[in-house]
């Protein structure tokens, strides 16, 4: 039996970690809308409001030694023993340790020498603050006198300059102390209108706000001198590194329990309302928040609201499949991860620093597909934000900053897959909601006021951007890159000091074409055609269909390599992803997308391509991106060949794109293969947690591929398109519940051994209780569909009135 570090508690919707020494910090996310925190299983991590870079509240050191140092620490001094509920940072052996990661909350419990310390961390709904409810219990039969020290280290707001501009930073730090509240107000007197605070709901016996006084210059978080001495210094930070630490003396009778409520909060004040008196910050809003949360009863009520919020979100889609691993993935953790990726895109995780990328154009459109059923209003707003960064010719800024919502000049545009993702995202939104009004919204180009055109027109120019940028074979020009950011066919970089992602490209005169974009164009182009028909724009639909037909013909003529689809043509017009190549003969993206689009299905091309994927790309842990892996640098391919073989885009198992092949398998009706591929990358099925390394409850972007040193090792967990793609594939193509403009289409494609399952799906205000029966062990094809006791022809459940409860039975052939 492989070593286990924890297990699922499905009834509580929690993952329970029982050993603090996980193979990597296993984290969770706090917060639902503006105020967020990342928290590890040993209480590490940090907090921010709205933007992980510009409004960072607490400091975090990346890639530190030891890993994951700094965070929300409570030090308990019991006689001469100092320990922490989450084991770190003192690492004093505990008698019991447990961390429960749940839906936007984490609770960590430690026990030592008869004292139990349990901390519940969460951000109440609509609140700019994190609650830390600490419950101390004396389980012995003697009176216990404890000394308790809290600890948070402030970040000087801009997480990027915080790490580098020390000649300034060491002089700017300012705090205010008011009773049990420590306020962090660095730069508030000049251009900032925000401050942060850390409070506790009882009087304190002391405090510290200066890091050096608290820790001692030569000590780490594991041995703060103040804690070792058992005496706070009452330090007031002037520059250097401000922190917040409360000191409490606590006496607990035998059996007694005490709750303490700590609040880590953030406030923005209006310009003319910043001060209480000269130099004294206006604390009104902080006090309001603290008084809303100053008793255990109030905190527990807020916690219940958060749980109800999740009850509600997770009630929209629910499967009972008979396989608990599938159920927990689909019903709980995958939906949760989709919400997190929607909120954070690729910004803040233990692999993304929160100071790098903004919101990706393609990433955010894909994330939307996993989230739109949960809170469609937020998806709507996101679509408008994304579309507003498009250029008038249909090209797009590749990223935008969440705080300003402006396109990011650093990276610019020219990724030629981007426009099609807008069609993909918008059609997903429309099918879920039926909210066609969004198509009439005036949306600017590059955020320039006055440039507005309707969202529908944005879709048209997105579609046209592909056909206006075709290469010599009538296939889409790739531009800087398509979905694979690392296949840089126009980059030709030989300077290690430039980034593949931002350097100038030589697209002028390039012949580099992408078969991945071709597949995406056919797949999402059909969505566009269907939408036009839905709107009665038949001439436009016909026009678009002709371009799609031309694209299919071009792929069949120039994109077929004999046994699989080519990946691309390079700058010079030479084949990429062909048996003629020395390395990188076959790629997942083009084969996935062309199969999804059913190109050459009748002629057997899809079958051949999928069989080749199975033969050449599949492995024990999932489907690798390309094969053979690149073993040297190819200047004409760029970053892809920069990675060691088996990692990332160079033959790693990119979990994001495995679903494309799964959908491809459903297109040819092979539910067995689709589900087998899925189980390989789905964390709930992964047995060896030590090898997998990262969190066992969320998908990771990548597992090391078959050519890597340690195949199957996970990296880049949490923030990845993998979440949305697996959700979309599982629910719509495997379990087969597809939202359409006119109802729910039932079209499962499953493993023959799945004999029956039930799904509850809330859709446009009605609740559908769907029972799928597969008595003959088939993989696909509805024989009969009974809706509210009546058999109907076809496989579309029509729309029912809001509030209806609809019973459906579907029987497979
Ligand atoms: C990363 C990026 C995504 C890209 C993928 C493949 O996950 O966020 O935009 O498509 O890598 O390169
Ligand atoms: C990298 C990664 C890729 C990511 C890109 C954009 O090179 O390999 O996954 O999408 O950077 O940041």
């Amino acid at each position: 039996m492989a070593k286990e570090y924890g297990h699922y508690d499905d009834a509580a919707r929690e993952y329970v970690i029982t050993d603090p020494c996980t193979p990597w910090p296993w984290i969770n996310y706090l917060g639902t809308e503006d105020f967020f925190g990342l928290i590890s299983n040993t209480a590490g991590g940090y907090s921010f409001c709205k933007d992980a870079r510009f409004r960072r509240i607490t400091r975090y050191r990346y890639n530190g030694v030891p890993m994951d140092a700094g965070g929300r620490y409570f030090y308990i001094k019991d006689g001469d023993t100092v320990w922490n509920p989450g084991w770190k940072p003192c690492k004093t052996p505990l008698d019991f340790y447990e961390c429960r990661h749940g839906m936007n909350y984490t609770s960590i419990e430690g026990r030592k020498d008869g004292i139990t310390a349990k901390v519940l961390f969460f951000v109440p709904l609509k609140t700019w603050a994190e609650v830390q409810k600490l419950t101390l219990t004396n389980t012995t039969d003697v009176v216990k006198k404890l000394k308790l020290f809290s600890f948070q280290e402030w970040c000087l707001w801009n997480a990027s300059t915080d790490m580098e501009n020390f000649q300034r930073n060491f002089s700017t730090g300012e705090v205010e102390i008011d009773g049990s509240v420590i306020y962090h107000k660095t730069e508030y007197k000049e251009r900032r209108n925000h401050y942060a605070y850390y409070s506790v709901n009882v009087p304190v016996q002391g405090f510290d706000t200066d890091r050096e006084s608290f820790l001692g210059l030569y000590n780490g978080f594991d041995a703060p001198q103040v804690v070792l001495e058992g005496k706070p210094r009452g330090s007031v930070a002037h520059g250097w590194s401000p922190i917040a630490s409360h000191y409490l003396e606590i006496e607990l009778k035998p059996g007694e329990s005490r709750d303490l409520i700590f609040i880590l909060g953030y406030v923005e004040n209006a310009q003319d309302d910043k001060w209480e008196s000269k130099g004294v910050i206006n604390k009104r809003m902080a006090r309001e928040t603290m008084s809303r949360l100053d008793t255990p009863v109030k905190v527990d009520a807020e916690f219940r609201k958060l749980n109800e919020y999740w009850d509600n979100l997770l009630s929209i889609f629910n499967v009972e499949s008979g396989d608990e691993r599938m159920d927990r993935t689909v019903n709980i953790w995958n939906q949760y991860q989709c919400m997190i990726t929607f909120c954070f895109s690729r910004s803040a995780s233990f692999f993304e620093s929160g100071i790098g990328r903004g919101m990706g154009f393609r990433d955010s459109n894909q994330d939307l597909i996993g989230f739109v059923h949960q809170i469609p209003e937020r998806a709507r707003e996101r679509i408008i934000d994304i579309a507003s960064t498009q250029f008038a010719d249909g090209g797009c800024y590749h990223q935008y900053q969440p705080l300003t919502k402006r396109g990011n000049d650093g990276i610019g545009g020219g990724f030629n897959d981007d426009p099609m993702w807008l069609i993909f995202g918008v059609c997903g939104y429309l099918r879920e909601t039926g909210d066609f009004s969004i198509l009439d919204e005036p949306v600017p180009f590059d955020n320039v006021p006055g440039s507005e055109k309707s969202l529908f027109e944005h879709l048209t120019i997105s579609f046209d951007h592909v056909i206006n940028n075709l290469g010599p074979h009538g296939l889409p020009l790739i531009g800087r890159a398509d979905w694979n950011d690392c296949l840089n066919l126009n980059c030709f970089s030989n300077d290690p000091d430039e980034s593949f992602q931002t350097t100038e490209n030589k697209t002028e005169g390039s012949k580099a074409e992408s078969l991945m974009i071709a597949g995406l164009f056919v797949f999402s182009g059909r969505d566009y055609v269907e939408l036009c028909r839905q709107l009665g724009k038949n001439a436009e639909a016909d026009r678009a269909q002709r371009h799609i037909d031309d694209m299919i013909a071009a792929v069949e003529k120039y994109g077929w390599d004999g046994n699989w689809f080519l990946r691309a043509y390079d700058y010079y017009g030479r084949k990429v992803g062909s048996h003629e190549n020395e390395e990188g003969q076959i790629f997942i993206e083009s084969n996935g997308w062309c199969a999804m689009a059913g190109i050459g299905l009748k002629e057997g091309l899809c079958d051949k391509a999928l069989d080749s994927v199975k033969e050449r790309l599949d492995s024990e842990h999932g489907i690798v991106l390309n094969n053979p892996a690149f073993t040297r640098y190819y200047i004409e391919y760029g970053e892809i060949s920069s990675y060691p073989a088996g990692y990332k885009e160079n033959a790693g198992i990119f979990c994001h794109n495995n679903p494309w092949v799964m959908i491809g398998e459903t297109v040819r009706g092979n539910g067995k293969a689709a589900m087998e591929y899925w189980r390989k990358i789905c964390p709930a099925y992964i047995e060896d947690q030590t090898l997998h390394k990262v969190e066992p409850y969320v998908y990771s972007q990548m597992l090391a591929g078959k050519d890597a040193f340690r195949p199957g090792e996970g990296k880049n967990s949490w923030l990845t398109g993998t979440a949305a793609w697996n959700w979309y594939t599982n629910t719509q193509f495997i379990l087969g519940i597809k939202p359409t403009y006119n109802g729910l289409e039932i079209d499962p494609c499953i493993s023959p051994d799945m004999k029956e399952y039930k799904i509850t799906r809330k859709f446009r205000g009605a609740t559908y209780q769907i029972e799928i029966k597969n008595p003959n062990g088939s993989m696909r094809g509805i024989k009969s569909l009974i809706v509210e006791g009546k058999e109907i022809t076809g496989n579309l459940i029509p729309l029912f009135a809001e509030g209806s409860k609809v019973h459906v039975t579907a029987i497979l052939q």
Side-chain angles (χ1 to χ4, degrees), residues 333-349:
W333 291 97
N334 191 189
Q335 297 201 56
Y336 181 56
Q337 188 179 3
C338 283
M339 162 72 96
I340 301 297
T341 56
F342 177 83
C343 290
F344 292 90
S345 191
R346 306 297 171 264
S347 70
S349 74

Side-chain angles (χ1 to χ4, degrees), residues 346 352 357 362-363 398-399 411 415 483-486 488 499-501 639-640 642-643 647-650 654 701 716:
R346 306 297 171 264
E352 304 279 5
R357 282 192 264 180
R362 80 157 83 85
D363 293 341
H398 196 47
Q399 293 166 10
I411 180 135
F415 295 77
W483 172 85
N484 189 334
D485 277 343
C486 297
N488 314 124
S499 150
F500 289 103
Q501 298 298 319
E639 186 166 1
I640 190 169
S642 74
Y643 283 114
Y647 294 98
K648 291 280 288 175
E649 281 86 344
N650 184 15
F654 227 88
Q701 180 208 47
N716 308 353

Side-chain angles (χ1 to χ4, degrees), residues 120-166:
L120 171 67
F121 301 89
F122 74 101
V123 175
L125 298 176
K126 309 277 173 206
T127 304
W128 284 1
E130 173 184 317
V131 172
Q132 304 168 353
K133 181 181 154 202
L134 168 64
T135 308
L136 291 168
T137 308
N138 178 4
T139 65
T140 71
D141 46 19
V142 294
V143 173
K144 282 274 198 177
K145 288 187 179 177
L146 308 172
K147 293 177 172 181
L148 174 75
F149 300 82
S150 68
F151 177 81
Q152 294 276 357
E153 182 177 8
W154 303 115
C155 179
L156 305 181
W157 305 117
N158 180 328
S160 174
T161 57
D162 182 67
M163 290 193 291
E164 48 187 42
N165 193 7
F166 303 113

Side-chain angles (χ1 to χ4, degrees), residues 316 342 371-383 429 432-433 435:
I316 300 165
F342 177 83
F371 174 82
V372 60
H373 67 290
Q374 297 188 329
I375 312 185
E377 307 74 44
R378 285 178 70 188
R380 189 185 209 274
E381 189 188 332
R382 178 68 57 81
I383 287 173
Y429 171 82
E432 179 67 36
T433 61
D435 167 28

Side-chain angles (χ1 to χ4, degrees), residues 128 140 185 236 249 322 335 345 350 490 509 517 589 597 640-641 653 726:
W128 284 1
T140 71
K185 60 171 186 178
V236 178
E249 289 170 358
Q335 297 201 56
S345 191
F350 271 28
N490 298 312
I517 304 181
E589 303 98 327
I640 190 169
S641 60
I653 298 159
N726 277 282

